[in-house]
Amino acid sequence: MKTYLTGIQSTGMPHLGNYLGAIKPAIDFSREHEGNFLYFIADYHSLNSIKDPKVISEQTYEVAATWLALSLDTSKACFYKQSDIPEIFELTWILQCHIPKGDLNRAHSYKAKLQANEEAGKKDLDHGINGGLFSYPVLMAADILLFNTDIVPVGKDQIQHVEMARSIAQRINGHYGDLLVEPQESLSAGKYIPGLDGRKMSKSYGNSIPLFCTEKRLKKLINKITTDSTGPDEPKNTEDSLIFDLYKFFSTKEEVQVLAKKFSDGISWGHAKLELFEKVNEDLSKAREKYNHLMDNRELIDRELENGAKKARVIARETLSKVRQNIMGLQS
Ligand code: ADP
Ligand code: TRP
């Protein structure tokens, strides 16, 4: 049976793009396939960008509550947070000692920061870059290798990190004999979900629709979607309509055909937005209730994460003990 593992940073309440592009496919995949599934919250990864304990903790709850509210089956998928697995950090150091520094120099995320400093005319190209960002790929490799992961579903931007994890595993296996499973990446996100302004929906563009905002705010945000100046009764083009694009993600083929007909007959943008709001709201309202319930009863989230960590640590201890024996000559 294959092992699938992916991590989610605790960067706050996910948006529709995260939901349709990453969370929903991962939950559906674990429901529809056989395998070992490990989905975890990479809260220590967030420490790179967030230096406020209240914020990290709050955002970790928000992300955990989201996955649980969307009915992740935690009896099938092991759901935990990174900070509950101390073995990850011991393995990180061991891996750190087996990766050429040059590989880390070539990591996209680090190179992008260097380039930004160069463009800003900074003398020190490492200005503002902390060691955590530089060695981020090693922590991520430990997340993956500790659990004998075969497949890592990730977005395009994370592929290089999985390649680095594989390369560390290969180097270690070459030196110490077959010790670690060499993971493969699999592209998780299909099409990018557009945001309110038509660009990729992203927290960093300020164009996103938070998954569990109130009904009122959802309506308000959908009303903000950019439209052209076609009059209310004039036929409208479905091809370049953001409303139509988003509607498709929440509807059946038949429902999409009905809306397409309305577009060609002429529907006001106001009505089209209302139809979109109703569809999205219908899809999310039950999960929203569950989300709010979990956020008001955080001990339920704690319990799920603790159970997940207990299960995950059984695997973690086994791998680490093998690694300690074979790499350090330690007997326990
Ligand atoms: P953001 O750009 O809002 O910071 P992240 O980079 O944290 O989002 O992405 C978390 C996950 O959600 C990744 O797997 C990413 O591929 C997916 N994702 C983010 N934005 C979108 C989008 N607009 N459409 C589809 N998937 C997305
Ligand atoms: N770096 C990933 C991101 O920013 C999150 C992550 C951390 C991860 N550890 C992982 C993803 C291990 C897959 C496997 O999205």
Side-chain angles (χ1 to χ4, degrees):
M1 223 161 31
K2 290 229 182 301
T3 296
Y4 299 81
L5 172 145
T6 199
I8 314 104
Q9 285 215 43
S10 37
T11 45
M13 186 199 284
H15 53 65
L16 285 188
N18 302 140
Y19 166 56
L20 295 168
I23 306 174
K24 189 170 185 300
I27 293 179
D28 290 348
F29 193 86
S30 67
R31 266 205 210 111
E32 291 155 12
H33 293 79
E34 282 310 309
N36 304 312
F37 297 94
L38 295 115
Y39 296 150
F40 73 97
I41 305 178
D43 51 347
Y44 261 106
H45 278 277
S46 314
L47 186 57
N48 256 317
S49 49
I50 308 167
K51 300 287 192 288
D52 182 333
K54 277 207 194 95
V55 176
I56 294 203
S57 164
E58 185 66 16
Q59 295 193 345
T60 300
Y61 276 116
E62 286 176 357
V63 172
T66 300
W67 283 71
L68 296 172
L70 293 167
S71 300
L72 172 70
D73 180 354
T74 51
S75 67
K76 197 157 176 216
C78 186
F79 187 55
Y80 57 94
K81 64 179 196 289
Q82 187 184 33
S83 54
D84 283 336
I85 319 287
E87 290 79 7
I88 292 175
F89 306 95
E90 188 171 344
L91 184 62
T92 300
W93 176 253
I94 297 173
L95 300 182
Q96 185 92 274
C97 296
H98 290 83
I99 183 167
K101 176 177 170 284
D103 284 9
L104 295 176
N105 286 341
R106 287 183 282 278
H108 299 321
S109 45
Y110 174 57
K111 275 171 57 182
K113 297 269 179 194
L114 290 182
Q115 197 182 337
N117 276 339
E118 192 171 8
E119 282 163 13
K122 293 269 188 300
K123 251 205 202 139
D124 175 11
L125 293 188
D126 277 321
H127 175 84
I129 302 177
N130 67 39
L133 181 111
F134 186 67
S135 51
Y136 185 107
V138 188
L139 180 55
M140 183 156 158
D143 292 333
I144 296 170
L145 299 177
L146 191 60
F147 295 99
N148 310 316
T149 307
D150 296 292
I151 313 280
V152 190
V154 278
K156 257 196 286 185
D157 57 323
Q158 298 295 318
I159 291 181
Q160 191 196 31
H161 290 149
V162 184
E163 287 167 352
M164 287 167 96
R166 183 164 60 243
S167 140
I168 304 179
Q170 283 165 344
R171 187 168 291 109
I172 287 181
N173 289 344
H175 192 79
Y176 302 95
D178 275 350
L179 201 52
L180 299 169
V181 174
E182 298 171 13
Q184 296 289 334
E185 64 279 6
S186 112
L187 257 188
S188 58
K191 230 175 120 191
Y192 274 132
I193 312 302
L196 296 172
D197 57 1
R199 290 188 293 170
K200 172 196 168 212
M201 185 177 289
S202 169
K203 266 171 236 130
S204 30
Y205 296 154
N207 65 353
S208 59
I209 302 181
L211 199 50
F212 297 129
C213 60
T214 60
E215 219 174 283
K216 206 169 146 198
R217 181 151 165 73
L218 179 63
K219 202 170 197 175
K220 214 167 160 185
L221 286 170
I222 288 179
N223 273 328
K224 274 180 135 176
I225 293 178
T226 320
T227 48
D228 63 25
S229 56
T230 341
D233 302 323
E234 287 179 64
K236 302 201 163 44
N237 196 349
T238 54
E239 298 286 298
D240 44 33
S241 163
L242 203 48
I243 300 173
F244 194 78
D245 275 352
L246 282 173
Y247 188 88
K248 280 194 286 197
F249 288 107
F250 290 90
S251 314
T252 61
K253 259 196 192 143
E254 292 72 33
E255 288 166 336
V256 173
Q257 278 166 3
V258 172
L259 188 68
K261 171 91 172 48
K262 289 185 186 169
F263 265 57
S264 66
D265 289 348
I267 179 174
S268 73
W269 285 126
H271 268 105
K273 285 177 177 175
L274 190 63
E275 296 233 1
L276 174 62
F277 161 72
E278 278 167 359
K279 264 272 140 265
V280 179
N281 195 42
E282 181 191 315
D283 190 85
L284 294 179
S285 58
K286 266 217 183 89
R288 186 195 293 127
E289 258 173 51
K290 217 165 149 190
Y291 175 87
N292 290 332
H293 178 72
L294 287 163
M295 287 303 280
D296 289 340
N297 297 277
R298 296 183 184 201
E299 66 286 357
L300 299 175
I301 304 176
D302 291 336
R303 203 184 309 146
E304 286 285 2
L305 292 174
E306 276 161 26
N307 282 340
K310 248 186 232 152
K311 285 192 267 173
R313 285 192 78 187
V314 174
I315 312 169
R317 285 202 197 99
E318 221 171 84
T319 311
L320 191 63
S321 149
K322 234 170 50 177
V323 165
R324 284 162 58 94
Q325 266 179 38
N326 285 277
I327 294 186
M328 291 294 293
L330 295 168
Q331 289 315 312
S332 61

